[in-house]
Amino acid sequence: MSNDLPLSKENILDAAEQVLRRFGPDKTSVVDVARVLKVSHGTLYRHFSSKAALRESVTERWLHQNILAPLKDVTEQFDGNAKEQLRLWLDTLIHSKRSYAVDDSEMFAMYASVTLEAIDMITQHVDQLIGQLARILEKGIQTGEFKALEIEVTARAIFNATSRFHHPAHAKEWQSGSIDQEFASVWDLMLSGISS
Amino acid sequence: MSNDLPLSKENILDAAEQVLRRFGPDKTSVVDVARVLKVSHGTLYRHFSSKAALRESVTERWLHQNILAPLKDVTEQFDGNAKEQLRLWLDTLIHSKRSYAVDDSEMFAMYASVTLEAIDMITQHVDQLIGQLARILEKGIQTGEFKALEIEVTARAIFNATSRFHHPAHAKEWQSGSIDQEFASVWDLMLSGISS
């Protein structure tokens, strides 16, 4: 049942994502993915030792492409001041999560379930996001918009203080009509705390 | 099968809580509770029209006794300044939730599941908590510890900015060794935002 094409990691993840979307995370096995790729089970088990490893890798790529990359652009390419950049970064994070919860609900549900397992991959993803926030804070301190603050600690505090608006466990609450107003109030509170 | 004792709401809730703890929320029916109370199903259905209504009422009483009442004491009877009172209020909320998640895991799981349904009862519970926070903020403005701020809006912002530390959807994260430090950083950020 094997074919001759070399299997790249991207090929495997494409097939895995396709199968996960079709059957759902609970019903997808490594064997199902091997079947789609027309390779032996053994070949695929060399890449993914378990169903959990498969889900984790697909979720990691999805998070990278859909959450981290657009926020990296905001971090590196925004021209306005640090305060506007910080707000845009948070708005981008919050609105991406909110639209994926609705428009890409299969992948969002898998991401939510992987997050609950609190694996290292999620910790690393969050650390990368907090690293981006830290760069924006650093810029704002340099321009004098923000006061002298502990950059890494404050970046993490801002991420944690906005959990309600971007952590997948709160997805149901994002449907509330007052959610934007609630975020605006938390933003005002935080901005007041960091402004010089 | 009925007995002669008048059924008080407290009697019914006691029996319902006992059955819910024994069989779990998914397997407990109104009929099971009627059996424990030795009353007819019809008698009990007059108080609770469904399994969901039963769970909601038991959770409401549990939240009132275990979360709201101790926080009311902090709100009404604390002698120190408003800043210390606000910190004690948040610490009490956070540590109560954290210990019930471990020491009363059946009831905590039921509360977490009722919360996800986002019913009016939970909204009212949260509004009561935010009302307590507002009283502490008001006191702090009067004493000059806090700046002139929109009391209700800021009280809700403080509650929402600390969701990660008290919302039951985050219970797994409370086991992290850095959770207290993470809260301390969010506290510093908020306090910096409200201090005069």
Side-chain angles (χ1 to χ4, degrees):
Chain A
M1 274 241 297
S2 66
N3 69 19
D4 297 314
L5 293 171
L7 270 183
S8 72
K9 177 131 188 174
E10 286 302 303
N11 294 149
I12 299 176
L13 290 175
D14 287 343
E17 184 172 325
Q18 182 192 331
V19 179
L20 284 161
R21 284 181 185 280
R22 199 185 311 153
F23 298 128
D26 293 338
K27 290 184 184 160
T28 297
S29 70
V30 175
V31 171
D32 295 323
V33 179
R35 197 173 294 131
V36 167
L37 287 165
K38 298 194 171 68
V39 299
S40 69
H41 309 164
T43 300
L44 209 57
Y45 274 111
R46 279 201 293 278
H47 294 274
F48 299 106
S49 58
S50 66
K51 201 191 274 202
L54 197 69
R55 291 167 44 163
E56 182 178 330
S57 291
V58 173
T59 302
E60 185 176 25
R61 186 176 70 160
W62 184 85
L63 281 173
H64 189 92
Q65 290 171 343
N66 295 288
I67 305 294
L68 203 61
L71 289 171
K72 191 162 180 268
D73 291 344
V74 173
T75 306
E76 294 177 357
Q77 289 165 23
F78 181 79
D79 276 337
N81 67 31
K83 192 189 293 186
E84 289 162 353
Q85 189 178 21
L86 181 60
R87 178 66 191 246
L88 178 63
W89 192 95
L90 288 167
D91 281 342
T92 304
L93 174 65
I94 290 167
H95 290 112
S96 311
K97 293 281 182 80
R98 214 187 287 174
S99 39
Y100 289 122
V102 175
D103 299 333
D104 194 4
S105 54
E106 299 103 331
M107 291 299 289
F108 190 85
M110 188 164 81
Y111 151 58
S113 128
V114 166
T115 298
L116 278 183
E117 293 158 21
I119 54 176
D120 290 347
M121 183 275 284
I122 294 293
T123 306
Q124 282 167 25
H125 170 69
V126 168
D127 285 347
Q128 286 175 297
L129 292 176
I130 289 172
Q132 293 182 358
L133 274 176
R135 289 181 58 185
I136 300 174
L137 289 181
E138 196 170 11
K139 172 179 151 187
I141 295 169
Q142 279 164 7
T143 61
E145 290 169 78
F146 302 148
K147 59 188 169 195
L149 38 79
E150 287 186 89
I151 292 174
E152 288 292 333
V153 169
T154 308
R156 191 169 294 276
I158 290 173
F159 190 80
N160 286 335
T162 52
S163 293
R164 173 170 164 77
F165 308 101
H166 55 71
H167 191 293
H170 291 277
K172 279 204 175 181
E173 295 158 58
W174 302 341
Q175 295 163 17
S176 156
S178 58
I179 194 79
D180 285 327
Q181 183 50 52
E182 287 181 24
F183 172 67
S185 306
V186 170
W187 165 257
D188 288 343
L189 179 64
M190 294 190 310
L191 191 67
S192 175
I194 63 175
S195 293
S196 55
Chain B
M1 272 239 301
S2 65
N3 68 20
D4 297 315
L5 293 171
L7 272 183
S8 71
K9 176 131 188 174
E10 287 301 304
N11 294 149
I12 299 177
L13 290 175
D14 286 343
E17 183 172 325
Q18 182 193 332
V19 179
L20 284 162
R21 284 181 185 280
R22 198 184 313 153
F23 299 127
D26 294 337
K27 292 184 183 156
T28 297
S29 69
V30 175
V31 171
D32 294 325
V33 180
R35 196 173 296 130
V36 167
L37 287 166
K38 299 195 172 70
V39 299
S40 70
H41 310 164
T43 300
L44 210 56
Y45 274 111
R46 279 201 292 278
H47 293 276
F48 300 105
S49 58
S50 66
K51 201 192 273 200
L54 197 68
R55 291 166 45 162
E56 183 178 329
S57 291
V58 173
T59 302
E60 184 176 24
R61 185 176 71 161
W62 184 84
L63 281 173
H64 188 92
Q65 288 171 344
N66 296 288
I67 305 293
L68 204 62
L71 290 171
K72 188 160 182 269
D73 291 343
V74 174
T75 306
E76 293 176 358
Q77 290 165 23
F78 182 78
D79 275 338
N81 66 31
K83 191 189 294 186
E84 291 162 351
Q85 189 178 20
L86 181 59
R87 178 64 190 247
L88 178 63
W89 192 95
L90 288 167
D91 281 343
T92 304
L93 173 65
I94 289 167
H95 290 113
S96 311
K97 292 279 181 85
R98 213 188 287 175
S99 40
Y100 289 122
V102 175
D103 300 334
D104 194 3
S105 54
E106 299 103 330
M107 291 299 289
F108 190 85
M110 188 164 80
Y111 152 58
S113 127
V114 166
T115 297
L116 278 181
E117 293 158 22
I119 51 175
D120 290 348
M121 183 275 284
I122 293 292
T123 305
Q124 283 167 25
H125 170 69
V126 168
D127 285 348
Q128 285 175 298
L129 292 175
I130 288 171
Q132 293 181 358
L133 274 176
R135 288 181 58 183
I136 300 174
L137 289 182
E138 195 170 12
K139 171 177 151 188
I141 295 169
Q142 280 164 6
T143 62
E145 291 170 77
F146 302 147
K147 59 188 170 195
L149 38 79
E150 287 186 87
I151 292 173
E152 288 291 334
V153 169
T154 308
R156 190 168 294 273
I158 290 172
F159 190 80
N160 285 334
T162 53
S163 292
R164 175 172 163 76
F165 308 102
H166 54 70
H167 190 292
H170 291 276
K172 278 204 174 182
E173 296 158 57
W174 303 340
Q175 295 164 18
S176 157
S178 58
I179 194 80
D180 284 329
Q181 183 51 53
E182 287 181 25
F183 172 67
S185 305
V186 170
W187 165 257
D188 288 343
L189 178 65
M190 293 190 310
L191 191 66
S192 175
I194 63 176
S195 293
S196 56

